[in-house]
Amino acid sequence: MNRIQVAVLVQMIAEELLPWYDRHARELPWRLSPRQKRSNPDLLFADPYRVWLSEIMLQQTTVATVKGYYEKFLMAWPSIHDLASEELDNILSAWAGLGYYARARNLHKCAKVVAEELGGIFPDTEEGLLKLPGVGPYTAAAIAAISFDRPTTVVDGNVERVIARYYALEDPLPGVKPQMKECAQKQTPNERAGDYAQAMMDLGATICTPRSPGCVICPIQTDCLGRKSGIAEDLPKKAPKKEKPTRRAYAYLFLSEERGALLRRRPEKGLLGGMTEVPTGNWIVQGNAEREPGLDQLSQWTELDGIVKHTFTHFHFEITVLTAKVSRDHDEVAKAVQGKWAHKSDFAALALPTVMKKILHHADYI
DNA sequence: AACTCGTGGTC
DNA sequence: TGACCAAGAGT
């Protein structure tokens, strides 16, 4: 066996992946385009503020969904200082609809730490980044690689899928994660760390997809054990998921010709923390929804036909909507539910999550 | 370690 | 229609 054949047998993923990336990299708003790199050779790595912002938004969220939010945020808050000095409620409002609202709370918290304690400069190491609120193992590695050229091992859902297939790892997630990380670590190149990380994720997003992977056009098909053994599409295996229970509740929509709708702020932590809601009764875990006497007594209620259905990460939610006309004592009612009246023309400035918009829509109010 | 935490697209 | 899935982190 000569040396060339040996070299082929131990080929690194990066050797085939980076040339593919140079030809097929998607242009994304937070990514330096080849044109930018050519016209400004000093601009080797993307601005950490922009990379951080995009990576937080991209957690468990598709590129298509993130694009619009990213551009809106960058327009409203061009720098870490702009974001740090903004009020949380305005950030939550801009985040509304994107989901996982703890990300927005931590985004604000992190901006304050960087702006006020670190002089506006992001840490340039994986270890330093990992200490920031909302920045976990994936995000720390990604920012370190993309913005600071650190040869970190970036492992997200895409990389897990690519690695599971490439090495034909048949043990189920999440138990196999450490082994995946180990395999990914062996493949991490010292050069072009950011490009390699993004190339792996692009590969997973466009070719090594969960269903019907494009093995025939894959740049790393040659040494892929999953493809060779014909099990690529079935990997990675996952532990069976728990069934989602259904919770049910009544929503109490107070409406006023003069004052609009009565809305309130949810508790700071937990589900939809800090977001705006239509007042609801208890969210009953099993069985039918229950009326809330404290809310019932405040007005004369009409039950609307049909129900609003919404699925959260770990439960289904079914809401029966009640409406009531309020024509006097507006402030007393608002005080009783600890809410505020808002005209529908002002809804755009509120932090209304999707489930609450569904309720308002069902009542034909928006 | 296992659970919590959103939403929109896709098949 | 419903289950699955997506550039995960915090507790």
Side-chain angles (χ1 to χ4, degrees):
Chain A
M1 190 177 281
N2 64 37
R3 267 152 72 182
I4 293 173
Q5 285 171 317
V6 172
V8 167
L9 286 174
V10 297
Q11 186 137 35
M12 300 280 286
I13 287 177
E15 293 175 46
E16 294 170 314
L17 187 62
L18 286 169
W20 169 81
Y21 184 70
D22 288 334
R23 283 179 280 117
H24 297 284
R26 295 177 289 175
E27 293 220 9
L28 300 173
W30 48 86
R31 188 178 276 181
L32 288 181
S33 68
R35 194 187 308 101
Q36 280 177 299
K37 290 186 180 178
R38 273 196 305 278
S39 66
N40 193 349
D42 293 334
L43 208 62
L44 283 177
F45 307 109
D47 173 11
Y49 172 67
R50 300 185 183 206
V51 172
W52 163 72
L53 178 60
S54 68
E55 290 299 345
I56 300 298
M57 289 184 168
L58 285 163
Q59 289 167 6
Q60 297 290 286
T61 310
T62 58
V63 166
T65 302
V66 165
K67 277 183 180 170
Y69 282 88
Y70 173 80
E71 282 165 357
K72 178 171 70 173
F73 268 68
L74 201 59
M75 186 77 76
W77 303 290
S79 77
I80 188 80
H81 302 284
D82 300 319
L83 198 57
S85 58
E86 185 56 86
E87 284 188 27
L88 173 60
D89 281 9
N90 292 331
I91 293 172
L92 288 176
S93 166
W95 197 277
L98 196 50
Y100 284 143
Y101 298 100
R103 292 185 297 172
R105 286 177 257 136
N106 283 328
L107 187 83
H108 188 233
K109 204 180 294 180
C110 183
K112 283 189 168 301
V113 169
V114 173
E116 295 167 12
E117 299 176 25
L118 303 177
I121 309 294
F122 273 88
D124 63 356
T125 65
E126 187 176 14
E127 185 187 9
L129 289 160
L130 195 50
K131 293 176 182 163
L132 299 173
V135 176
Y138 160 75
T139 306
I143 299 173
I146 297 169
S147 281
F148 302 112
D149 200 30
R150 305 278 186 186
T152 58
T153 301
V154 178
V155 182
D156 74 330
N158 289 305
V159 177
E160 286 178 352
R161 189 168 55 255
V162 171
I163 290 293
R165 290 171 175 173
Y166 193 81
Y167 287 97
L169 303 180
E170 297 188 62
D171 294 328
L173 285 168
V176 74
K177 279 191 181 206
Q179 194 181 348
M180 287 178 168
K181 176 97 178 195
E182 203 175 307
C183 293
Q185 166 80 49
K186 289 180 193 163
Q187 290 290 343
T188 306
N190 285 314
E191 312 294 325
R192 300 188 62 184
D195 286 344
Y196 173 77
Q198 293 178 87
M200 285 289 275
M201 295 189 280
D202 272 19
L203 183 70
T206 62
I207 292 180
C208 196
T209 49
R211 290 172 298 230
S212 308
C215 297
V216 289
I217 58 168
C218 179
I220 61 169
Q221 60 179 268
T222 314
D223 295 333
C224 179
L225 294 179
R227 183 192 61 79
K228 285 182 186 176
S229 52
I231 58 172
E233 186 167 6
D234 302 321
L235 300 177
K237 302 207 171 189
K238 300 189 175 180
K241 296 188 172 82
K242 294 174 70 174
E243 194 174 337
K244 287 178 179 165
T246 298
R247 299 189 197 178
R248 297 180 178 86
Y250 284 101
Y252 290 78
L253 181 56
F254 295 88
L255 296 174
S256 159
E257 292 287 347
E258 309 158 41
R259 308 285 295 274
L262 185 52
L263 305 174
R264 67 183 178 191
R265 195 175 206 278
R266 288 182 57 81
E268 290 308 306
K269 295 186 175 181
L271 187 74
L272 308 178
M275 302 295 285
T276 302
E277 70 169 358
V278 175
T280 56
N282 279 332
W283 298 24
I284 302 299
V285 178
Q286 204 163 25
N288 294 323
E290 292 170 0
R291 300 287 287 249
E292 186 87 358
L295 290 166
D296 274 332
Q297 69 179 28
L298 292 172
S299 200
Q300 187 89 344
W301 295 97
T302 302
E303 184 173 320
L304 300 186
D305 291 333
I307 59 173
V308 175
K309 290 189 177 186
H310 187 79
T311 299
F312 291 104
T313 311
H314 55 293
F315 66 92
H316 302 292
F317 192 29
E318 296 180 358
I319 309 105
T320 301
V321 182
L322 306 168
T323 63
K325 279 282 182 194
V326 179
S327 50
R328 60 190 180 87
D329 299 332
H330 292 95
D331 294 328
E332 286 77 3
V333 175
K335 188 178 179 185
V337 307
Q338 298 187 55
K340 288 181 181 175
W341 290 98
H343 290 102
K344 71 174 77 175
S345 58
D346 296 326
F347 280 8
L350 298 176
L352 276 173
T354 298
V355 61
M356 296 303 159
K357 285 185 177 167
K358 282 187 187 177
I359 291 171
L360 291 163
H361 194 73
H362 186 74
D364 211 16
Y365 195 68
I366 59 173

